[in-house]
Each structure stands twice: as structure tokens, then as C-alpha cells.
Amino acid sequence: MANVQAVLSALEVFSRAPEKAALDQANSWLQDFQHSSDAWATCNVLLLSPEVPPAAKLFAAQTFRAKVTYDLTEMSDTDLLSLRDTLLTALETYHAGPRTILVQLCLAISALALQLPAWEDPIQTMIDSFGRNPATVPALLQFLTVLPEEVTTNTKIPITDDDYKERAAKLLTMNAPKITELLAVYLQAPGATFAVQTQVFNALSSWLAAGEIVAMSLLNSPLLSFTFQALSSEELFDAAVTAACDLIHETQEVEDNMPVIEFIVPQVIALKPKLAEFKDDPEKIRGLARVFAEAGEAYRSLLLHHPETFFSIVEAIGECSAYPDLDIVPITFNFWMRLAQSIGKKSSVSPLFLDAYKALMSVIIRHLHFPQDISSLTGQEAENFRSFRHVMGDTLKDCCYVLGTDKCLMAAYEMITNGLSRGQNISWQEIEAPLFAMRSMGAEVDPNDDRAVPKIMDLIPSLPAHPRVRYAALLIISRYTEWINKHPDYIPYQLQYISAGFEDNDQEVNAAAGQALKYLCQDCKRHLVEFLPQLHSFLATMGSKLVQDDKVQVYEAIAYVISAMPMEQAAQSLRTFSLDILGRVHGLASKPSASKDELIAIAHDLENLEVMLGVIQSFGEQLPPTCHNTHQEAWLVLEPFLVKYGSEYPICERTTRVLRLGLMFFGAATLPTIPSVLSRMASCFETTGFSSYLWMASKIIGRFGNEEDPSVRAAFKEVYERSSNKLVAILQEKTPQMIPDIMEDYLQMLLQMIEYTPDVFFPSPAFAVAFRVAMAALSLVHSDIVFAALDLLRSVLTHDCLAPTSQPPPPKFPIYAAAIGPVVEHEGQELIGYLLAGLVGDFPEESIPMVVTIFRVLSAIWPSLLLAWLPPVVQQLPSVTVPDTIKAAFVSDVNRSEYSCNRRIQLIVLIYHSAIQSGELDKVKYAIRTIHRASRKARERRRVGPMDG
């Protein structure tokens, strides 16, 4: 067969590992082949031909699985039964492997069994075909393992809910007793190999996980006892662990499964000595930890009510938590969390559990210790360990929940004080780990605590000056600022400690000091007002020594303090800090030129001002006298600065952000300067093409769009037309995909204009440009941009001027309509091309209602034009994204010969023709949604590679 050789040639490309283009071409060809009806016969030949390479046989098996999932509608019922026989023959051929092919065939047979009611009893067929011969039993067990998974998890199989329920019950539920007996037989069969027994456990786990074999049905089955016996077998251990965990999980409804639990619990407790026996075998300990943790979670109510019987399980989990391998420890964490939640609901609890959590807390703090030689960790290992420490911190919170936060804090405190009492014999790790624990437990601290936290705060200044210790102590201050707010006497000492942190040579300590100062000022701002002069002096003396990230946190901290001041005092303070920054901006703008470092420094200054304004936000509509002229003074500084350095992107970005926050801060007071600001934004965009200038313009239009001042509206028109002309020039050199930031900010500006300034938006010559840009934006794979473009197009096409509801219409409506009509008539065909391409391509799911609305409006207002536009547009749609067979479901009663175009075009055009001619525009909605769903399914299928399992 020609197709056989073509498949082999395409697969051979992958073995040669050529250039990416050749790989992509081969991949695309193989995907198209998998979608074809010829693939059925070709893959059968590939599977059954001995001389075919293994890769081709695997591809054939994968293709069968894919086609059984997606393409059974291509076959009649008779053909389906023949397909079943073909797959069974292939399974017989590959019963001994390779396993990859065997699994794919079993998956294909499982999916076929679900969709083929004419196959009366698939499981019995499989037992009869493969269960009698010991050589083929592994193939049967593999099928029994994948069947529940495929039936319950493969949501891509096209089957109705009712058919699924009926068929799943027949395949799984009704066969569960038979499978239980069958697995027991194979498990105990004379000469059963470890491999077969492992497969039995895998199949049992699969049926348990699917909920089809229930625990009580195993009470008298040898499967139950053998599962726990197999935990003593080296060869069966892993499979038995999984089966045991699944068994225990299925008994978590304690009252319904008590007889089985009474069998399981002694078996689990009997495993405890194995923790000592296998202490040097992490994989064994991992498996045992899974069993103990599963039992603890499932039976935690029994643990609490009958600790005399069940507490050994808690002790075993505690031993697993204490194991030095930190990959094993987290297996136990969910148990401790859920047990703590259960304990919290009880009025009293056995001291055994309190002791267990005390021991757990000590264990976790020990695990928190950094290695003696921290350089022994690679970069990734160090990062993983730091991340895991935070996970362990959550378990410390569970300890607080059970024992009380003050007791846990005191225990950590005593670890440190006991260590410090040894003098120089204590390592920094022994101090840092309890400090980290205190930080983790800080979220549980009572702000009114007067027992533990005062001791910790008194301890901090006396801690060793090691960077790791100081870092941990500073982050404790960050976490405990709500407590400090209730105990302000500690603030001077904390400020001294934080200030010393900024002087440390370690950058992480500097960063921790910045974070501590930020949160201290945020939560204790009213107490810190009197310290503001100190903070100002600190910036003056230390500011140049701080890295920018730390400096930002200091300015943010200061802003929190200012926000707590009386308004006039706050205004004076903000002005002081702002003029410091603006003075440096003015100084740089006055120089003939600036170095790169100077520009970076001034961008940092602007970022600091931005942070302060972002915290304070506004003093309200009535500005204090100190602020009355500040915005004009600021603009007199910033405008010449932009003229000179606005072509530097960092300067553009930071300045426009400051302007945006200034707009929010000063509000209506800025109106006299708005025309100048807009004109400068237009000029800067013309010069640089930086999208931030459009972003700022859109914010101004959104804030002042309703203002009738002629100079303001003239400024709106100026920025609209100049930015549109500039964008046209940019698009002559670059594609929309190359300038997504400009496209998005331009569209956002247009959305503000159509909302607030339609009198500027529609009559302008720039409207045609705006419409074309919105269409072009639909080709971008950026959800926010697509939404903005669709929103703008929908707003244009649904504008009230096109269908006025009042007579006479508003006087400007005819002008707007006269602007919209010619643009739509000229651009309409291209518009629906973009819409349909996106609909069957990359449009977000949530955008479909907007597409429906646009098509319905086009169908209602321009019906004859739409019908003329559709055929050539639809002809361009890629067949692979919307298969013809799926489109045939759009309508069942259309006359397929009415048009001379191909069937795909016929169906889409006919449904629109039918909808438009009949006035039933809901059919348009149905057509759009149907084609979208069909294309999405086709694309999901193509996303799975032709050789993926």
C-alpha cells in the first residue's frame, strides 16, 4: 500500500533528527494521516507486518487509540465489530509486548468497548480470549488495569451522559464481583510469577480507585490478606503499597466498613517494626510512610476516640516525619493537618496527642536546619530547600492549633536561649531554625499576647550578628508588626535593629530590613509619625548606599507613615519628599547631557515617587492648601524632562506612571494642564513609538472625557489623530504581532474615546484607521488584546446611531452613522475573515458571545453584503481545524447542491442564508457556537502529537 510507505517515510524523518522544519512537516503529515479514513486499514497492515520497524508499529497502535476515541462515526455497526476483531487480533500478536504497544491497544479496546453497545460483554470476551492461556494472561491483566481508568477519565470520548452511565455500569459495576474472583485466582495460581502478581495488584488498585470494587466485597477474598503479606516481598512491595493505600482509602467511611477496618488496622500496626528494619532503605520507608499516612487520615476519628488501640499508627507516622530524607517527610503532613483540624473540634483530647505534636514541632525545627556547610547545596537544591521550609512552616501552624501558639513560641524561644547559654559552642543553624519557626508561627500570634512575644522581642537585640540570624530576626519583626502596634514601646528598639540591618554587608539582610521597615510603618504608622524626621535623615545619609529594591521599601514605609498624619501635615511631608525627587529631576533636565548611570538613578527616583503616591493615593476632592499648585510645579519639571529624555524607555515608563498617579492624586485640579499633557503625550509617541504614552492618554480621556472645555476636546482630537497616523507608519514597517503593547494601549485609548468622546471618535479621519487596527489586533494570540479589539468592534457595530430608539435621534447620530457605514462596507469582508479565523483558531472561549453579537449585527444590518462576503472567506478556513464531517451537523435539512462551492462552504453559507432570509438570528448564534466547538475539538486532537500515547 502506498500509504504504508508514506507513513514509514514520515516516521523515518524523526530517526534522522533533521532540521525543525522537516520535523514539523513530518509531524503535520502524520497528524493529517491520523485524521484520514485510510488510517484504519493502513495501521492494521503496519501492526501485523513483521518487517515493519518498532516505531511504526507503536505509531499504528497510537493511531488506533486516537481514531477509536475521535472517529468511530466513520464506521457502520458492522465495521465496528470488525474493528473489534482487528484489535483483538493485534492484541494477540503483541500479548508479550512491547509494553508500549500493548498498552495502546488495551486503551483502544477499552474506548471501543465503551462506545459499542453491540459488543454485549467485552470483559467476558477478553477473559475467554486471553484468560485461559498463562502466556496471554498479562495482556488480559493490562486490559483490566486500563479499562476503569479509560472509562472514568477519558472525557474526549464522544458519548452522551445517558449512554455513558448505562455502558459504564455494564462494563464495570456489573463485572466487579467477577473481576474480584478472577484477580484472586490469578494471584494464587500455581506458578504465578511476581510479574503477574504485580499486575494483579495494579488491576486491583485501578478498580478500587474507580470505586467499582468496594472494600467490603474483599472481606472474604484472599486479595485482602495477600495485599498486606506482599509488603514483606521485595518484588511486590511497590505494587502492594499502592494497593494497600487504595484499600484503606476505600474504607474511610468508617461505619460502613468496620469489619474490613478491623482486619486492616492490626495489619498496619504490625508494619511499625519495619521502620527500624528498613531505616537505611529510603524507598521502603517511603512506601511504609504512605501506608501509615493513609491509615491515619482515613481512621483519624477512630484514633481520637480509641487512642489505646490506634495510637501506634500516630507513633509510626511520627517516626516517618522524623526520617532524615526530606523527600519522605511531607508524605505525613496532610495527616497532621487533618488530625489537628479534628482535634480542634473536640472539647478535650488525650495527652498522647499533645505529646505527639510537641515531638512533631521539635522534629520540624530540626528539619529546618541548614546544612553545616551551606555551600554543599547546589543553587537548585538550596532553592528547593528554602521552598520546603515554608511547607514545613505550615505544619508548625498545625502544632500551634493543637498546642497553643504561646506554648510553641516558648518552646522555640527556649531552644535558642538554651543554645546561647552554651556560649561559643552553638552554630548559627541552631539559632536560625527556631527563629524561622517563630516567623512561620507568627501568623497565629495573638496581638495581645503578653507571655511569649515580649520575650522574643527582648531576645532579638542580643542575638549573634551572623547574617543568617539577623535576616531571620528581621523577618520576625516583619511578621509581628501587628503585635508591635499594640506594644509601641518596642518601636525604638526595632527601628535601631532595622537600621543596623541596612548597614549589613549582606544584601539579603538589607532586603529583610527594608521589608521589616515597610510592614512596621504599615501596621504601626500612627506610632511612627514622630519618627518621620529620622526617616528623612536616614534617606539623606543612607539612601545612596541602598540598592533600589531596598530603597523602594523605605519610601513605601515612609508613605504609610505620611498616610496616618493629619491632612495638612501629611501634605507638607509628602511635598518635602516629592520636591527632593523633583529637584533631582529638574537638575538632570538642566544639564547639557546625562550619563546612563544618571538616567538609571533618576528612573529609580521616579519609581520611589510612584510608590509613595501609590500608597497615599489621594487626600480627597478638597486638596489642602499646600497641594494647590504642586501639580503645575511638577508638570513644569516633568515636561522639559520628557522633551529631553522621553526617548529613553525607562524614563518614559516611570514618568507616565508618576503622571497617572498624579492624575489620581490631584483629580479635577489638573484640568488646566490636561491639554498640555495630552499634546506632550502625542508628541512623545510620535517621536518614540512607546506605548506608555498612549496608555497615559487613555487614562486622561477616561478621567476627563466628559469635560466640554473646547481646549480639552481639541487635545483629545489631537492625540487621537496624531497617534493613529504614527501607528499607521509603524505598521508599514512592523506586523501587529511585533508590537502587541502598542496595539493594546491604542485599543484601550479607543475604548475610552468611544465611551466618552464619540463626537471626536467617529467623525475623525482617524476612525477608519482605528477600525482597521482593531481588525488587525484579532490576529494576535493575546487574550487581553483580542478582548479589547472585539469590545471596540462590538461597540462600533452596536452603537445606537445605527438603530436609534428615539425620534428624532440625537443630532450627532446621523454623523456617526455616516462614518460607520462606509467603513464597514469597505472592511466587512476582511473583518469576518479575522473573526472566523480567530473563532476556529486562538480566540479565548469567553470571547465567543462577543463574536456572536458582531455576526448578528452584521446579519441584521448588512445581510446581503454578509452573504456575499462569506463564500470567499470560508474557503480560506483550514480544513484541519474544522473537519467537514463535523460541520455537516450544523444543519440536516439544507440543500447541499444549492451552491457550487465545496461542502464546507456550502454548509456555513447555507445556515447563514437560512438564518438571514428567515430572520431567525438565533441560527447565527447556533452556527457560530457549533463551528467553534467543532474546531476546538479538532485543535485539541492535533495538540496531541501523532506519536504521543
Side-chain angles (χ1 to χ4, degrees):
M1 296 174 65
N3 276 338
V4 170
Q5 189 54 50
V7 170
L8 294 176
S9 298
L11 290 170
E12 189 181 357
V13 172
F14 291 89
S15 65
R16 296 198 305 267
E19 296 180 353
K20 184 176 183 298
L23 289 172
D24 289 344
Q25 183 179 2
N27 187 69
S28 179
W29 188 91
L30 289 170
Q31 285 186 324
D32 291 341
F33 167 76
Q34 284 184 322
H35 294 187
S36 70
S37 57
D38 293 337
W40 297 108
T42 303
C43 287
N44 191 38
V45 172
L46 288 169
L47 269 177
L48 301 181
S49 298
E51 69 278 5
V52 168
K57 294 178 179 180
L58 176 59
F59 171 74
Q62 291 166 333
T63 301
F64 267 125
R65 192 229 174 157
K67 292 194 74 64
V68 168
T69 299
Y70 295 105
D71 296 336
L72 285 190
T73 53
E74 296 176 359
M75 292 190 162
S76 66
D77 288 346
T78 303
D79 290 337
L80 289 174
L81 290 172
S82 298
L83 172 63
R84 174 200 63 185
D85 297 339
T86 296
L87 291 173
L88 293 180
T89 300
L91 188 62
E92 171 67 31
T93 303
Y94 292 96
H95 72 268
R99 185 176 182 277
T100 51
I101 295 176
L102 181 67
V103 169
Q104 292 299 314
L105 291 173
C106 288
L107 288 168
I109 293 169
S110 298
L112 180 63
L114 180 62
Q115 299 176 79
L116 184 56
W119 190 0
E120 283 293 330
D121 194 345
I123 284 184
Q124 190 58 52
T125 301
M126 296 298 292
I127 293 172
D128 292 341
S129 301
F130 299 95
R132 315 299 186 195
N133 181 352
T136 58
V137 164
L140 172 63
L141 290 172
Q142 183 64 61
F143 167 76
L144 294 177
T145 300
V146 304
L147 176 66
E149 299 168 4
E150 185 73 357
V151 169
T152 58
T153 64
N154 189 350
T155 57
K156 297 181 178 67
I157 295 175
I159 186 171
T160 66
D161 288 345
D162 290 341
D163 288 345
Y164 172 80
K165 290 175 183 176
E166 180 180 347
R167 193 63 180 162
K170 193 165 188 177
L171 282 172
L172 301 178
T173 309
M174 293 172 61
N175 279 299
K178 181 192 297 184
I179 298 304
T180 302
E181 294 177 11
L182 185 71
L183 294 179
V185 167
Y186 289 141
L187 191 66
Q188 302 176 100
T193 64
F194 288 128
V196 167
Q197 291 176 328
T198 297
Q199 282 192 285
V200 169
F201 283 128
N202 292 339
L204 175 62
S205 292
S206 181
W207 284 72
L208 284 167
E212 296 298 340
I213 290 181
V214 296
M216 283 297 293
S217 69
L218 299 174
L219 187 59
N220 297 314
S221 168
L223 291 172
L224 185 58
S225 58
F226 199 83
T227 296
F228 289 93
Q229 293 170 22
L231 292 170
S232 299
S233 165
E234 181 74 28
E235 293 81 5
L236 299 177
F237 181 80
D238 291 339
V241 164
T242 300
C245 289
D246 289 329
L247 267 169
I248 293 168
H249 186 79
E250 289 305 307
T251 60
Q252 59 185 317
E253 298 295 336
V254 172
E255 293 182 3
D256 297 336
N257 293 285
M258 189 54 74
V260 182
I261 293 171
E262 289 173 347
F263 175 85
I264 289 175
V265 168
Q267 305 295 322
V268 172
I269 292 174
L271 295 172
K272 187 183 173 190
K274 292 185 178 294
L275 291 172
E277 179 184 345
F278 296 125
K279 66 181 184 346
D280 297 325
D281 187 342
E283 292 309 309
K284 286 288 195 305
I285 298 298
R286 184 192 306 276
L288 293 170
R290 288 178 57 199
V291 174
F292 286 125
E294 190 69 55
E297 290 183 49
Y299 308 143
R300 63 188 183 281
S301 62
L302 295 174
L303 298 178
L304 291 171
H305 287 98
H306 305 285
E308 69 285 352
T309 302
F310 293 90
F311 194 73
S312 291
I313 296 176
V314 179
E315 292 176 326
I317 297 172
E319 289 186 44
C320 296
S321 297
Y323 196 71
D325 188 330
L326 295 187
D327 288 334
I328 292 171
V329 172
I331 293 171
T332 67
F333 287 171
N334 201 50
F335 161 74
W336 294 115
M337 178 194 70
R338 298 184 71 181
L339 181 63
Q341 292 170 343
S342 297
I343 288 174
K345 298 174 184 177
K346 294 179 65 66
S347 57
S348 62
V349 65
S350 168
L352 292 172
F353 294 101
L354 301 181
D355 292 341
Y357 276 93
K358 289 177 185 176
L360 176 66
M361 185 181 64
S362 298
V363 160
I364 294 299
I365 293 177
R366 187 168 69 248
H367 286 321
L368 289 172
H369 284 215
F370 277 101
Q372 288 299 317
D373 180 10
I374 196 169
S375 63
S376 64
L377 298 176
T378 66
Q380 188 58 53
E381 287 172 342
E383 182 61 31
N384 291 343
F385 180 63
R386 288 190 178 96
S387 298
F388 183 55
R389 295 177 100 213
H390 291 285
V391 176
M392 291 192 282
D394 291 336
T395 300
L396 287 173
K397 294 173 190 175
D398 298 330
C399 296
C400 291
Y401 192 63
V402 173
L403 301 172
T405 305
D406 59 338
K407 290 185 176 63
C408 293
L409 288 174
M410 285 304 299
Y413 170 82
E414 288 167 3
M415 288 181 188
I416 296 174
T417 55
N418 291 339
L420 291 173
S421 68
R422 304 203 310 267
Q424 298 298 319
N425 295 324
I426 185 170
S427 67
W428 68 263
Q429 289 90 341
E430 293 176 81
I431 301 174
E432 191 275 343
L435 288 174
F436 182 92
M438 291 175 180
R439 173 187 163 198
S440 296
M441 295 185 283
E444 310 299 321
V445 165
D446 179 357
N448 297 308
D449 176 85
D450 60 1
R451 177 169 176 260
V453 182
K455 291 180 179 295
I456 294 170
M457 292 298 157
D458 291 337
L459 175 67
I460 286 176
S462 64
L463 292 172
H466 191 282
R468 294 296 88 207
V469 172
R470 177 163 281 173
Y471 175 83
L474 285 165
L475 292 182
I476 286 178
I477 295 174
S478 299
R479 183 59 68 88
Y480 285 56
T481 49
E482 290 184 15
W483 183 92
I484 296 170
N485 185 47
K486 294 288 186 73
H487 303 80
D489 291 346
Y490 284 91
I491 288 176
Y493 308 105
Q494 307 300 358
L495 282 175
Q496 289 177 11
Y497 195 79
I498 291 169
S499 179
F502 282 116
E503 297 174 6
D504 199 285
N505 293 326
D506 189 295
Q507 288 191 355
E508 288 189 350
V509 175
N510 302 156
Q515 183 173 323
L517 183 62
K518 179 179 74 173
Y519 286 117
L520 187 70
C521 291
Q522 181 176 344
D523 289 334
C524 311
K525 53 191 173 186
R526 298 190 185 283
H527 300 301
L528 282 160
V529 169
E530 63 185 275
F531 294 95
L532 191 61
Q534 288 178 236
L535 294 172
H536 189 257
S537 299
F538 171 79
L539 270 178
T541 56
M542 287 291 297
S544 60
K545 300 178 183 178
L546 300 178
V547 299
Q548 177 59 13
D549 287 346
D550 298 339
K551 198 183 296 185
V552 163
Q553 296 204 88
V554 174
Y555 273 97
E556 187 176 352
I558 290 169
Y560 283 121
V561 176
I562 292 174
S563 70
M565 292 177 167
M567 186 180 295
E568 182 58 37
Q569 186 183 355
Q572 290 283 0
S573 297
L574 178 60
R575 181 179 174 84
T576 298
F577 285 95
S578 300
L579 289 181
D580 283 349
I581 293 172
L582 290 174
R584 290 192 288 273
V585 173
H586 176 69
L588 191 66
S590 302
K591 292 179 65 174
S593 62
S595 67
K596 181 179 180 181
D597 288 343
E598 287 176 319
L599 289 172
I600 291 173
I602 218 70
H604 288 165
D605 278 330
L606 290 168
E607 181 183 14
N608 298 332
L609 180 55
E610 173 195 343
V611 165
M612 293 188 75
L613 291 172
V615 170
I616 297 169
Q617 294 196 353
S618 174
F619 288 148
E621 293 185 10
Q622 294 297 320
L623 291 172
T626 303
C627 296
H628 282 177
N629 297 317
T630 307
H631 67 280
Q632 293 172 323
E633 296 171 14
W635 181 239
L636 288 174
V637 171
L638 292 174
E639 183 178 27
F641 180 66
L642 281 175
V643 171
K644 196 161 191 177
Y645 298 113
S647 58
E648 298 287 340
Y649 183 75
I651 299 299
C652 157
E653 186 74 8
R654 289 300 170 197
T655 306
T656 51
R657 287 179 177 275
V658 168
L659 288 172
R660 163 70 173 132
L661 290 167
L663 182 70
M664 294 172 57
F665 183 86
F666 292 106
T670 62
L671 187 59
T673 61
I674 289 303
S676 174
V677 175
L678 280 172
S679 179
R680 181 54 54 198
M681 295 302 103
S683 176
C684 285
F685 180 66
E686 281 183 329
T687 303
T688 67
F690 292 158
S691 66
S692 296
Y693 295 119
L694 296 178
W695 173 79
M696 186 61 213
S698 74
K699 299 302 180 185
I700 294 173
I701 296 169
R703 175 64 178 82
F704 294 109
N706 291 324
E707 295 291 336
E708 296 298 331
D709 186 320
S711 64
V712 173
R713 301 201 83 72
F716 293 154
K717 186 173 189 294
E718 178 188 4
V719 74
Y720 174 34
E721 294 181 352
R722 290 175 70 180
S723 62
S724 297
N725 291 336
K726 174 63 177 179
L727 186 51
V728 169
I730 292 173
L731 287 171
Q732 288 174 350
E733 299 177 359
K734 299 180 179 180
T735 65
Q737 289 75 15
M738 298 168 67
I739 53 168
D741 52 343
I742 298 176
M743 298 290 286
E744 181 172 15
D745 287 324
Y746 180 74
L747 288 169
Q748 292 297 338
M749 184 183 75
L750 298 181
L751 285 169
Q752 298 297 330
M753 296 200 73
I754 196 171
E755 173 74 17
Y756 296 107
T757 63
D759 57 317
V760 176
F761 180 68
F762 287 117
S764 170
F767 172 63
V769 173
F771 196 89
R772 286 196 297 273
V773 170
M775 291 194 307
L778 297 177
S779 65
L780 274 66
V781 189
H782 291 262
S783 295
D784 290 344
I785 298 176
V786 169
F787 277 118
L790 288 172
D791 194 8
L792 181 68
L793 292 166
R794 180 181 61 179
S795 298
V796 169
L797 295 171
T798 61
H799 196 276
D800 289 344
C801 70
L802 296 174
T805 56
S806 61
Q807 293 297 330
K812 293 183 179 178
F813 270 22
I815 300 173
Y816 302 167
I820 295 170
V823 171
V824 173
E825 291 167 11
H826 185 265
E827 307 290 349
Q829 182 168 325
E830 191 172 353
L831 170 62
I832 65 168
Y834 279 117
L835 290 171
L836 285 177
L839 191 70
V840 302
D842 296 305
F843 277 5
E845 184 72 23
E846 299 81 1
S847 70
I848 306 310
M850 301 169 79
V851 178
V852 170
T853 298
I854 292 171
F855 268 98
R856 292 181 70 166
V857 171
L858 292 172
S859 302
I861 301 178
W862 293 278
S864 57
L865 286 174
L866 181 59
L867 284 176
W869 293 331
L870 273 173
V873 170
V874 175
Q875 192 168 17
Q876 302 302 316
L877 290 179
S879 298
V880 294
T881 58
V882 192
D884 293 345
T885 54
I886 298 175
K887 292 177 185 174
F890 277 9
V891 285
S892 59
D893 57 346
V894 293
N895 181 354
R896 301 192 193 297
S897 62
E898 184 175 345
Y899 290 86
S900 59
C901 45
N902 64 37
R903 182 169 67 171
R904 179 174 70 255
I905 300 171
Q906 280 185 324
L907 293 173
I908 297 177
V909 174
L910 282 171
I911 192 165
Y912 268 96
H913 185 273
S914 171
I916 295 166
Q917 297 291 15
S918 64
E920 298 179 61
L921 296 183
D922 278 344
K923 287 185 178 180
V924 175
K925 175 181 177 180
Y926 172 78
I928 293 294
R929 291 195 173 278
T930 301
I931 192 175
H932 172 65
R933 282 194 293 266
S935 67
R936 183 181 61 188
K937 184 175 179 181
R939 281 181 284 121
E940 286 175 354
R941 178 178 179 181
R942 276 187 93 76
R943 274 196 285 269
V944 179
M947 293 181 291
D948 292 339

